[in-house]
Amino acid sequence: MVAEVFWSNMRAEKGKSLVDKVATLWRRAGFKETIDPGDLVAIKIHFGEKGNTAYINPVFARRVVELIKAAKGKPFLTDSNTLYVGSRSNAVDHLQTAIENGFAFAVAGAPVVIADGLKGKDYYEVPVKGKHFQRVKISSAIYHADSMVVMSHFKGHELVGFGGTIKNLGMGCTSPSGKQMMHSDVLPRVEEERCIACGKCQRWCPAGAITVTEKAQINAALCIGCGECTVTCPRRAIKASFKSDPIVLQEKIVEFARGSLQDKENKCVFFNFVTQVAPECDCNAWDDAAIIPDVGILASRDPVALDQASFDLANAQPALPGTRLDGHEDARDKFQAVSGYDGTPLLAYAEAIGMGTRQYKLIKV
């Protein structure tokens, strides 16, 4: 089967703004049909790390909020806490960052709910029966939402080549411990000089692999690599690892993405903003110069087709001079040229496990 992907370019034709074009894409793609009156609708969006400016402009989120309300849904903006230490690793800092980056109620018109709670402990284990995971951790606000609108900034990524809808679903809809499960097969280790023997890691370890005397100790034979200890330690004495085979990492992201859509069949829709296409993720506290011209906004009910179309359109653009693509102007995969990683195994695996199709019909709106 061929999926429909709707695309609106950057032209403000006949006075129609880009914000208006979001509404046009919504109508043409039939997104209203996914919302029933009274639905709690999660708008999954990246609020941007403090210091980053490439994330999706909040005025676009406001337009989606208005469209959901017109369909008699109840929208809320959401994202999950991060594994790394930054401005979004707990709900207090995360909310503060979201507001400072423009996602206040007065701007977006909807409340912000941090999906996995105060410290990233609010999640459900969802069965996926994948190649790498039997169960994945999905943040509670995502799990409980009746329907979901996923707004993703399509850009490069330093570990998986590029990030779009599937990356937003997989990495963005899970708790920090779920992120650790994806990022590494390396078991955690204790830095004894930082450990204060508080015992919090031991209380949160589901495998009983940690004992605490003068310092915490991890029994490697019992450890299941769930990552709970790394995100629980108040002194960051148990180190998270970001070492993983790139193809395995991509497949793990896909399995988490499938878990985030569980029980929401025909209740999810997806936007990719192929604008300000930075070479790296919005999780950085900066954003480098865009590597290609802006492509526009794409929308679909099929997350795989949407990412494939975004990837193809992005690679069809010329490389911008004076950017990370200098010296790679003729690269067929501009994202791989920048990061060194081929991101297409993610698309292939998502298609293989039934998340969607890479075959699409591009419809210009």
Side-chain angles (χ1 to χ4, degrees):
M1 293 183 64
V2 177
E4 292 184 330
V5 176
F6 298 85
W7 167 43
S8 184
N9 64 22
M10 301 296 293
R11 295 293 303 276
E13 298 161 343
K14 298 179 181 178
K16 181 181 289 187
S17 73
L18 282 180
V19 178
D20 295 328
K21 287 188 169 187
V22 169
T24 302
L25 286 165
W26 178 279
R27 288 191 292 270
R28 286 293 304 276
F31 285 177
K32 181 180 178 181
E33 299 169 9
T34 64
I35 299 172
D36 293 318
D39 273 2
L40 296 175
V41 185
I43 301 175
K44 173 61 185 75
I45 195 167
H46 194 303
F47 299 122
E49 191 71 13
K50 187 177 292 186
N52 191 287
T53 61
Y55 56 88
I56 296 171
N57 192 308
V59 300
F60 292 111
R62 183 183 185 91
R63 192 68 184 100
V64 171
V65 165
E66 293 167 350
L67 292 164
I68 293 170
K69 288 180 177 179
K72 302 189 184 305
K74 298 179 179 180
F76 63 95
L77 307 174
T78 193
D79 197 6
S80 300
N81 291 310
T82 61
L83 174 60
Y84 61 84
V85 180
S87 68
R88 299 180 301 118
S89 61
N90 62 75
V92 174
D93 293 341
H94 205 157
L95 283 167
Q96 184 71 28
T97 299
I99 291 168
E100 290 178 359
N101 283 351
F103 292 93
F105 188 93
V107 176
V112 174
V113 177
I114 303 305
D116 55 345
L118 186 64
K119 293 185 176 182
K121 299 293 189 183
D122 297 351
Y123 61 80
Y124 285 83
E125 293 195 2
V126 175
V128 292
K129 297 181 180 178
K131 183 193 302 186
H132 304 284
F133 301 116
Q134 292 298 299
R135 305 175 73 84
V136 296
K137 300 175 179 180
I138 301 303
S139 299
S140 61
I142 301 294
Y143 178 84
H144 284 301
D146 299 305
S147 54
M148 183 159 56
V149 177
V150 182
M151 301 179 67
S152 306
H153 176 216
F154 197 87
K155 67 281 180 190
H157 193 275
E158 49 272 40
L159 295 178
V160 294
F162 68 88
T165 290
I166 297 172
K167 168 70 166 51
N168 193 7
L169 286 168
M171 200 67 75
C173 290
T174 185
S175 64
S177 59
K179 293 176 173 70
Q180 176 63 65
M181 290 168 63
M182 281 180 274
H183 272 299
S184 181
D185 295 322
V186 180
L187 296 179
R189 57 184 176 81
V190 179
E191 291 190 354
E192 292 190 353
E193 65 275 13
R194 302 186 71 168
C195 178
I196 58 173
C198 65
K200 290 182 179 180
C201 59
Q202 183 179 28
R203 291 196 296 274
W204 276 97
C205 178
I210 300 177
T211 56
V212 180
T213 51
E214 292 183 1
K215 301 289 183 180
Q217 295 179 319
I218 300 174
N219 185 332
L222 296 177
C223 179
I224 59 174
C226 69
E228 288 292 348
C229 57
T230 64
V231 301
T232 297
C233 178
R235 296 298 181 92
R236 298 282 175 171
I238 304 178
K239 283 299 180 183
S241 174
F242 291 91
K243 295 180 180 179
S244 182
D245 177 274
I247 294 179
V248 171
L249 172 59
Q250 290 178 43
E251 291 177 347
K252 288 179 175 180
I253 290 171
V254 170
E255 291 182 8
F256 268 79
R258 182 167 69 173
S260 71
L261 300 177
Q262 197 89 304
D263 299 325
K264 291 183 176 63
E265 187 176 357
N266 299 318
K267 298 288 288 180
C268 296
V269 297
F270 311 99
F271 286 98
N272 270 354
F273 286 70
V274 192
T275 58
Q276 290 185 266
V277 181
E280 294 184 353
C281 183
D282 297 344
C283 293
N284 292 322
W286 67 88
D287 50 282
D288 201 355
I291 58 175
I292 60 171
D294 288 350
V295 171
I297 307 169
L298 288 81
S300 181
R301 291 196 187 189
D302 186 315
V304 182
L306 180 61
D307 272 359
Q308 183 69 64
S310 300
F311 179 80
D312 292 342
L313 283 172
N315 278 310
Q317 306 306 307
L320 288 175
T323 71
R324 293 269 290 278
L325 275 177
D326 280 354
H328 303 283
E329 291 83 358
D330 297 328
R332 294 182 62 185
D333 184 343
K334 294 177 171 62
F335 301 103
Q336 186 175 10
V338 169
S339 69
Y341 293 106
D342 175 11
T344 59
L346 177 143
L347 298 170
Y349 188 57
E351 182 178 51
I353 67 171
M355 280 191 65
T357 177
R358 297 175 74 178
Q359 304 301 314
Y360 62 88
K361 176 183 179 182
L362 190 63
I363 302 170
K364 190 173 180 180
V365 173

